[in-house]
Amino acid sequence: MARKVIIDCDPGIDDAVAISMALFDPRIDLVAVTATAGNVPAEQASRNVQAIIERLDPPRFPRLGAATFAEGCAGTDNRLMHGDDGLGNQGFVVSRLHHQHPSEKVICDAVRADPHGVTLVCLGPLTNIARAFQRDPELPVLVDRLVISGGCVDGVGNVTAVAEFNMFFDANSARTVFRSPVTKTLVPLDVTRTVRLTLDFLDRLPPETTRVGGFLRRILPFTYRAYHQRLGQESILLHDVVTLVSVLEPALFECTEMSGDVETRGELTLGLTVFDRRHSPQWRANMDVARRADPEKVIDCMVNSLSLAGSAAAGE
Ligand code: RIB
Ligand code: CA
């Protein structure tokens, strides 16, 4: 039985690879894809969601949600690592979508349509999730599970010394979600940064003649160049793809129940995810946190899922 999923994302090349898998993997019924600002500004994120789905032309089109500007978010982005347009500067054309609903409304409606039946996979800042919970206060207990890409347990950040990008970008929303009663799993940098993808990964993609293979071969080279030029690394990280793998094959991940919160004021620590790991924790456990996964098995899952996508989306 396919799992009903909403993906909330800020594409973003790693988000785009995750969406490519979710659109075609038979284990997922992708109900909606909702955009949020993060890697790129709100309007660009909305355009990118639409561009990805129009380009891949899946058998079933998910509902789309539009990102809207969020007050109080960090005035930053990730365009150095994803391109000015967020998709490797490939200039994908989108048809004009009229009357797009805001992401938080799409999330509320999709969860209400199937109470306790929808997994919400969060691949970007948690702005829309916090808004959806504020829009519909009962929503947290109606979501089957929230799976969140981001945070870090070891305190080694990627956007600052201690903060991971999705938490840093909208720390207030992240705190709202962490403190909500929704059942949640966090897939932090500690795990996603162990899954390093060398250039061999490009050789394992579906053929270029497939829609998915052609699309990924257009966007991924930007990531390899960015990691090489900006970080001096010859392999890349696709954080959101690892998070989606945790939905496709949860048995690949060892998880621990933990109590987490998010720093919302620190000059040096904004967006830091803080966990009570004292011998006798005083905070109540509020999430499952992925702590370990076998990188090779995670990569095999990525390749197998993308291979299914390639077969399903064969030919231009
Ligand atoms: O820190 C990695 C996260 O930030 C990923 O979701 C990436 O797409 C960016 O949003
Ligand atoms: Ca993302």
Side-chain angles (χ1 to χ4, degrees), residues 148-152 167 178 184-188 273 275 287-290:
I148 302 166
S149 181
C152 55
M167 302 300 129
F178 273 43
K184 52 185 97 72
T185 298
L186 186 78
V187 184
T273 44
F275 298 87
M287 64 180 75
D288 293 324
V289 179

Side-chain angles (χ1 to χ4, degrees), residues 10 12-15 38-39 78 82 123-125 149-150 158 164-166 189 239-240:
D10 61 334
I13 291 172
D14 58 333
D15 305 71
N39 284 319
N78 244 340
H82 295 268
L123 304 181
S149 181
N158 59 359
E164 179 277 326
F165 179 83
N166 290 336
L189 290 181
H239 303 281
D240 296 340

Side-chain angles (χ1 to χ4, degrees), residues 24 116 132 168 188 192 198 223 253 263:
F24 299 96
H116 311 294
F168 175 81
T192 61
T198 64
T223 305
F253 294 76
E263 176 56 65

Side-chain angles (χ1 to χ4, degrees), residues 49 66 78 91 115 122 146 162 172 223 230 234 267 273 288 293 297:
V49 164
N78 244 340
C122 311
L146 211 62
V162 296
N172 288 307
T223 305
R230 302 193 179 282
E234 299 313 312
E267 182 187 346
T273 44
D288 293 324
K297 289 182 179 171

